[in-house]
Amino acid sequence: MERVARGVALGALLGLAILAFRDRAAPVHLVVRMPDLPRALIAWSTSTAPAGVHVRADGGFAPFARDWLRALAGAGTGVTWEGTALVPTALAAEPVADPEGGTSVWIAAPAKAPLVVEDAAGRLDSIQSGTGGARVLVRSSGGELFARSGGTVARSAVTDSLVLGRLLLLGRAGWESKFVAAALEERGWRIDARLRLSPRGDVRQGAETVIDTARYSAVVVLDSIGAAEARRVAGFVRSGGGIILSATALRTPGLAGLAAGSPGSVVAGHEPFDSAAGEPRRELELIPIALRTGSVLLEHRDRMVAVAARRIERGRAVTIGYLDTWRWRMGGGAAAVRAHRDWWADLVAGVAHSGRIERPAGGIPDEAPLATLIARLGPASSAPSLPNRTPTVSHQLLFAILMAVLLAEWASRRLRGMP
Amino acid sequence: MRPFTFATGMYASGDWESGQLVAAVVIDSLARHTELEVSPAGVNVPIDSAALFEYPFLYLTGHLAVRFSAAERRNLLRFVDRGGFLFMDDHNHDINGVFHTTATQELTALFGRLERIPNTHELYRAFFTFEDGPPATNHEMNGWGDNLVHDQLLGIVRGGRIDVLYSNKDYSSEWSMHPESKRFMEADPSRFAVNIVVYALTR
């Protein structure tokens, strides 16, 4: 009897010891909140890694934490995450072909999402996303840019500097050529011009050179030009140059093929120009453009196409239906000079050919943080149910058995020899 | 595209209408010598009206004292700031006549001190070449008015461009004729007007 009880007790002790050892080595599943994540990552990487971790994110994942978790997952740890404050946001930044510099920032985000655009120095702009995201033009042209929405921060940097050529202005001497040249020169463009004036000669500004992308970023044609010159301009566009075509320039047969559409009949504007007009370009005469296949609408008035663009081989072309835009600059409100200049500069920036010089990017880009997170760790999920850690044999039962057999052994000794 | 329109400015003081034949003569010269699209008739435009800004070339003349109203001053300032070209000519051909004195006072008050335009300025080569600067008028050559040949024009130059051109050579008289009369002349006396317009349109 004693031997049996001792054997059972030793067995129970051995069982408890094995269970204790197994408990120590057993895989665990942990739930971590974002503030504790960096310290936890260090701990998991310097001692035994858990079987699984679930991260509850109340802000965005830092790229290093996201990559670290991915490495843990690669090493066998199950990694899941959840975060309601993470907004699907993506950011792209491109330098603008504009002598004033600047960066065009495109942000993809859900409609009506509040967005804050920042650079290293602080906030640049705050806007609300539209149905197609948002576009912001920032004058900052170097370093990192950030788009913040909810707990997500997308990060990008401009990695190129642009080398701009000159502009070539073609057409007929008149107020439109004078004021367009003035606006673009004020913007910082260097302009060559060949403007028809008389049989004695044209108005010429700048060197007489071939029209190529080595010298020119874009050509602005404000009126009809000669057939030979039109052929040279078409070759320039096909080789990558930009062109802006006034609707009146489309009378030149060689240029009509470059246009984003065909011109219609003139629609009257208002005279005199209303300086208080909310939409000043409505005051201008307009030749509506019938879009050709592949062209893109840039601006419309009522239901008529006013500005459109298209790609021609390696070059880009914009066709403008507005006539005499100088009237806007002369007759518009207090901001008209600047608005007219900005409008023309934006059109030129949209087509201008530019060389690029790579420059070192600062920081690590993280242009679509949530998409990258999902690509690395999978989609968000709720915390997984923890595995059943209840032992198949109850520790209490084993303890009770152990105590019972020890008691039995003790009683057996005490009662030894009794009748 | 709108054609070039020769606009004569109407101001409240003085006799703005004293050079009513000038527009026809200048338009005739532009049509004869250039391919510019030109309106066949000039317009008279009140310089205190919004219509002023439809005509970026503005001609002002007169014999009498000039005193611009506040609205006229405001509009003229804005007109020139936006890129308009103002050509003002003394119809008296007097060096210290009432028009010259008051007009230069007004221009100085609005735009700052008038400076002498050098006779080598590109204005004198903008279309025709005038080696000696502004061409002399018959009034100067015949000793009328102040009995002087004014050898330079005055102007307000900003950013290297003449924004305001002032003459006391009395081109308003020189160009006051019926355009058909030019055929009896050895040279078109209004050729310099072509230079002024071409300069305004291309600089």
Side-chain angles (χ1 to χ4, degrees):
Chain A
M1 175 67 182
E2 283 176 25
R3 285 182 183 159
V4 173
R6 192 172 293 145
V8 172
L10 285 173
L13 275 172
L14 186 62
L16 276 173
I18 290 169
L19 282 173
F21 180 78
R22 279 184 60 193
D23 277 355
R24 241 187 109 199
V28 292
H29 283 71
L30 302 173
V31 175
V32 192
R33 299 191 70 81
M34 281 301 280
D36 305 322
L37 185 59
R39 202 167 39 208
L41 285 168
I42 293 169
W44 298 334
S45 303
T46 52
S47 61
T48 308
V53 294
H54 180 79
V55 183
R56 286 205 173 113
D58 42 12
F61 283 72
F64 84 88
R66 193 180 55 206
D67 295 344
W68 205 328
L69 287 167
R70 172 66 185 155
L72 272 178
T77 300
V79 178
T80 54
W81 64 276
E82 65 183 305
T84 52
L86 300 181
V87 180
T89 307
L91 170 69
E94 275 284 313
V96 178
D98 187 330
E100 280 195 358
T103 303
S104 196
V105 180
W106 287 273
I107 305 165
K112 297 184 179 176
L115 300 167
V116 177
V117 182
E118 301 170 345
D119 65 4
R123 175 177 296 206
L124 296 170
D125 204 349
S126 55
I127 47 173
Q128 191 175 62
S129 176
T131 51
R135 184 195 168 209
V136 181
L137 182 67
V138 295
R139 283 292 154 222
S140 164
S141 56
E144 289 182 287
L145 287 165
F146 308 91
R148 190 181 299 278
S149 183
T152 307
V153 182
R155 173 201 305 248
S156 187
V158 177
T159 56
D160 293 312
S161 290
L162 300 185
V163 181
L164 300 177
R166 304 171 73 90
L167 298 181
L168 177 61
L169 192 63
L170 299 175
R172 176 194 292 265
W175 293 128
E176 185 67 354
S177 57
K178 174 210 166 81
F179 283 105
V180 169
L184 293 172
E185 280 181 337
E186 286 165 10
R187 189 64 166 216
W189 283 104
R190 293 164 298 154
I191 292 185
D192 290 351
R194 299 174 200 169
L195 304 171
R196 197 166 64 257
L197 179 60
S198 82
R200 290 165 56 99
D202 297 340
V203 175
R204 291 179 178 265
Q205 177 178 315
E208 289 289 331
T209 59
V210 293
I211 305 174
D212 63 17
T213 54
R215 180 173 176 85
Y216 295 112
S217 284
V219 177
V220 180
V221 190
L222 297 174
D223 209 331
S224 53
I225 59 175
E229 191 138 57
R231 277 194 298 276
R232 289 192 286 273
V233 168
F236 166 76
V237 176
R238 293 198 168 89
S239 65
I243 188 168
I244 297 195
L245 287 164
S246 164
T248 49
L250 304 185
R251 291 179 294 205
T252 309
L255 295 180
L258 304 177
S262 53
S265 304
V266 176
V267 177
H270 298 123
E271 188 174 344
F273 198 100
D274 179 5
S275 62
E279 296 177 55
R281 290 191 291 283
R282 292 188 72 85
E283 303 293 300
L284 303 174
E285 284 181 316
L286 173 72
I287 296 181
I289 300 157
L291 284 183
R292 68 165 56 178
T293 308
S295 296
V296 179
L297 168 70
L298 297 184
E299 188 172 320
H300 63 85
R301 187 165 101 185
D302 301 326
R303 292 187 175 179
M304 297 174 287
V305 177
V307 184
R310 70 179 284 231
R311 177 170 282 282
I312 301 156
E313 296 182 17
R314 296 172 62 193
R316 283 176 285 185
V318 162
T319 306
I320 302 173
Y322 294 116
L323 301 179
D324 297 306
T325 65
W326 62 266
R327 295 181 58 232
W328 174 15
R329 181 182 165 109
M330 281 297 292
V337 173
R338 180 169 189 86
H340 176 260
R341 183 167 63 227
D342 289 350
W343 188 76
W344 271 100
D346 281 351
L347 291 177
V348 172
V351 300
H353 172 274
S354 55
R356 285 176 179 256
I357 296 175
E358 196 172 330
R359 65 183 185 193
I364 303 166
D366 188 16
E367 292 171 336
L370 187 57
T372 307
L373 179 65
I374 292 170
R376 300 265 165 90
L377 303 178
S381 60
S382 54
S385 55
L386 297 178
N388 183 7
R389 293 169 63 190
T390 307
T392 49
V393 179
S394 161
H395 294 182
Q396 290 86 345
L397 177 63
L398 277 175
F399 185 74
I401 294 170
L402 178 64
M403 292 307 295
V405 294
L406 285 173
L407 190 63
E409 189 207 11
W410 177 78
S412 168
R413 284 185 188 177
R414 286 285 174 190
L415 297 174
R416 191 182 297 159
M418 290 188 70
Chain B
M1 296 283 181
R2 294 185 174 207
F4 170 82
T5 304
F6 189 94
T8 302
M10 304 162 69
Y11 51 94
S13 59
D15 54 341
W16 64 267
E17 72 282 12
S18 65
Q20 284 296 288
L21 291 174
V22 170
V25 169
V26 173
I27 290 165
D28 175 77
S29 284
L30 291 171
R32 279 175 194 268
H33 301 295
T34 75
E35 289 181 356
L36 292 172
E37 289 188 44
V38 185
S39 294
V43 296
N44 297 324
V45 56
I47 63 172
D48 61 354
S49 73
L52 173 67
F53 300 96
E54 298 289 341
Y55 308 102
F57 183 95
L58 181 67
Y59 162 67
L60 293 177
T61 191
H63 300 89
L64 306 177
V66 179
R67 286 290 175 238
F68 293 133
S69 68
E72 289 169 343
R73 287 189 184 123
R74 196 166 49 244
N75 257 15
L76 281 178
L77 258 180
R78 189 175 140 203
F79 174 84
V80 171
D81 282 346
R82 297 276 171 113
F85 185 93
L86 171 57
F87 173 48
M88 196 165 190
D89 182 60
D90 176 4
H91 212 332
N92 287 321
H93 181 221
D94 287 342
I95 196 162
N96 283 318
V98 65
F99 181 92
H100 173 80
T101 304
T102 54
T104 52
Q105 280 174 355
E106 286 287 342
L107 292 179
T108 302
L110 280 173
F111 305 110
R113 194 174 64 83
L114 289 161
E115 60 183 90
R116 290 180 173 275
I117 306 296
N119 289 348
T120 54
H121 194 276
E122 62 178 318
L123 169 68
Y124 303 114
R125 296 186 307 280
F127 194 80
F128 295 109
T129 300
F130 297 91
E131 295 286 359
D132 302 321
T137 61
N138 279 307
H139 289 65
E140 288 175 317
M141 302 305 285
N142 292 328
W144 297 334
D146 59 11
N147 200 22
L148 287 173
V149 174
H150 303 277
D151 56 1
Q152 281 184 295
L153 302 185
L154 303 176
I156 302 293
V157 181
R158 297 193 293 197
R161 173 184 179 267
I162 299 172
D163 286 342
V164 178
L165 183 66
Y166 179 81
S167 151
N168 56 356
K169 295 176 76 71
D170 194 6
Y171 286 119
S172 302
S173 294
E174 187 79 352
W175 300 338
S176 284
M177 66 178 85
H178 205 279
E180 274 79 33
S181 305
K182 289 181 187 175
R183 61 185 165 150
F184 302 115
M185 298 175 179
E186 187 177 318
D188 179 354
S190 58
R191 291 188 314 155
F192 184 53
V194 178
N195 274 48
I196 296 173
V197 171
V198 168
Y199 180 86
L201 280 170
T202 58
R203 269 58 170 192

